[in-house]
């Protein structure tokens, strides 16, 4: 079973509490003005990876607190992401999972999306609105909502909802990857 990803970051501290593995999927049906990742909007073949290979990479790290999945639009690969998370959480039940989606939670009514919600501890929903980027909390703009779907991340609620972590810049073979949520003024 394959996932079509835009990028991964094996370790980041800017997308949720603790040390996290970040996954960005390729392809998004939205086209938010000021999107932080316009290259990841097109539905095209990108970093295609076997789900088991990705699970093994994640499980080989013993210093992780959880995963953050963003994009692109994770719900467009909801079924396969649910399989990935099921495999990871079976072995690492202490992990917490944060997912960013451009959909509103009420729109996630198809089977694959509803199933994926079962593995998510914090869902941050809604499209990005640059004029509402107030640099507050772990979200791009203040129209987006925090849905704590389990109690795992409740101890971090204040931190998550009020503080915006900084940015990291990861060196890649072919460039630099910015990890985190920038201010609206950040110009692409
Ligand atoms: S939902 Fe996210 S990835 Fe999709 S266009 Fe909007 S900001 Fe970009």
């Amino acid at each position: 079973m394959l996932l079509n990803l835009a990028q991964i970051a094996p370790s980041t501290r800017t997308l949720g509490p603790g040390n996290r593995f970040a996954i960005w999927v390729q392809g998004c049906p939205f086209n938010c003005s000021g999107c932080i990742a316009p290259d990841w909007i097109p539905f095209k073949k990108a970093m295609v990876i076997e789900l088991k290979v990705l699970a093994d990479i994640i499980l080989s790290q013993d210093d992780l607190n959880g995963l953050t999945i963003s994009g692109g639009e994770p719900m467009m690969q909801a079924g396969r992401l649910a399989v990935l998370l099921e495999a990871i959480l079976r072995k690492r039940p202490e992990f917490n999972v944060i997912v960013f989606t451009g959909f509103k939670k009420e729109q996630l009514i198809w089977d694959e999306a509803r199933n994926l919600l079962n593995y998510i501890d914090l869902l941050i929903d809604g499209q990005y609105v640059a004029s509402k980027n107030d640099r507050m909390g772990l979200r791009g703009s203040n129209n987006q909502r925090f849905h704590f779907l389990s109690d795992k991340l409740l101890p971090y609620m204040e931190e998550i909802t009020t503080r915006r972590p900084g940015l990291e810049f990861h060196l890649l073979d072919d460039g630099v990857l910015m990890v985190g949520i920038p201010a609206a003024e950040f110009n692409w």
Side-chain angles (χ1 to χ4, degrees):
M1 196 177 282
L2 300 173
L3 281 163
N4 186 23
L5 305 183
Q7 192 53 264
I8 60 171
S11 173
T12 178
R13 293 185 173 274
T14 63
L15 291 173
N19 186 31
R20 315 185 66 79
F21 196 103
I23 298 169
W24 294 271
V25 305
Q26 179 72 38
C28 178
F30 306 110
N31 195 12
C32 309
S33 175
C35 171
I36 178 181
D39 292 347
W40 300 347
I41 292 176
F43 286 94
K44 65 178 186 184
K45 193 172 167 188
M47 182 191 292
V48 177
I49 186 166
E50 180 67 48
L51 198 146
K52 186 176 179 325
V53 171
L54 181 59
D56 287 345
I57 291 171
I58 295 169
L59 290 168
S60 70
Q61 292 184 223
D62 56 11
D63 57 349
L64 292 173
N65 300 103
L67 284 93
T68 297
I69 305 175
S70 187
E73 175 48 63
M75 292 301 161
M76 302 311 288
Q77 299 185 54
R80 281 164 282 167
L81 286 172
V83 175
L84 175 76
L85 292 178
E86 199 276 336
I88 290 169
L89 292 168
R90 199 174 341 118
K91 298 201 170 157
R92 302 291 292 272
E94 74 279 13
F95 271 15
N96 62 69
V97 177
I98 297 175
V99 173
F100 290 83
T101 178
F103 288 98
K104 291 183 176 163
K105 182 169 175 284
E106 298 78 14
Q107 296 175 302
L108 302 175
I109 54 174
W110 67 99
D111 287 350
E112 290 87 353
R114 285 170 51 178
N115 186 35
L116 180 57
L117 291 176
N118 292 324
Y119 300 99
I120 298 173
D121 300 296
L122 171 62
L123 180 78
I124 301 165
D125 76 346
Q127 293 179 42
Y128 174 66
V129 179
S131 62
K132 295 184 176 179
N133 182 345
D134 61 0
R135 307 184 192 195
M136 283 278 291
L138 191 69
R139 60 183 174 184
S141 53
N142 64 20
N143 59 299
Q144 296 171 322
R145 301 172 300 176
F146 299 104
H147 300 277
F148 289 84
L149 304 181
S150 80
D151 58 7
K152 270 189 188 170
L153 284 165
L154 289 180
Y156 303 97
M157 183 187 277
E158 187 184 350
E159 172 186 334
I160 288 169
T161 58
T162 64
R163 276 179 245 151
R164 171 91 54 99
L167 299 174
E168 296 170 357
F169 294 88
H170 296 205
L171 280 180
L172 306 175
D173 289 342
D174 56 352
V176 175
L177 172 69
M178 185 185 71
V179 185
I181 304 172
E185 302 79 54
F186 197 92
N187 229 335
W188 288 101

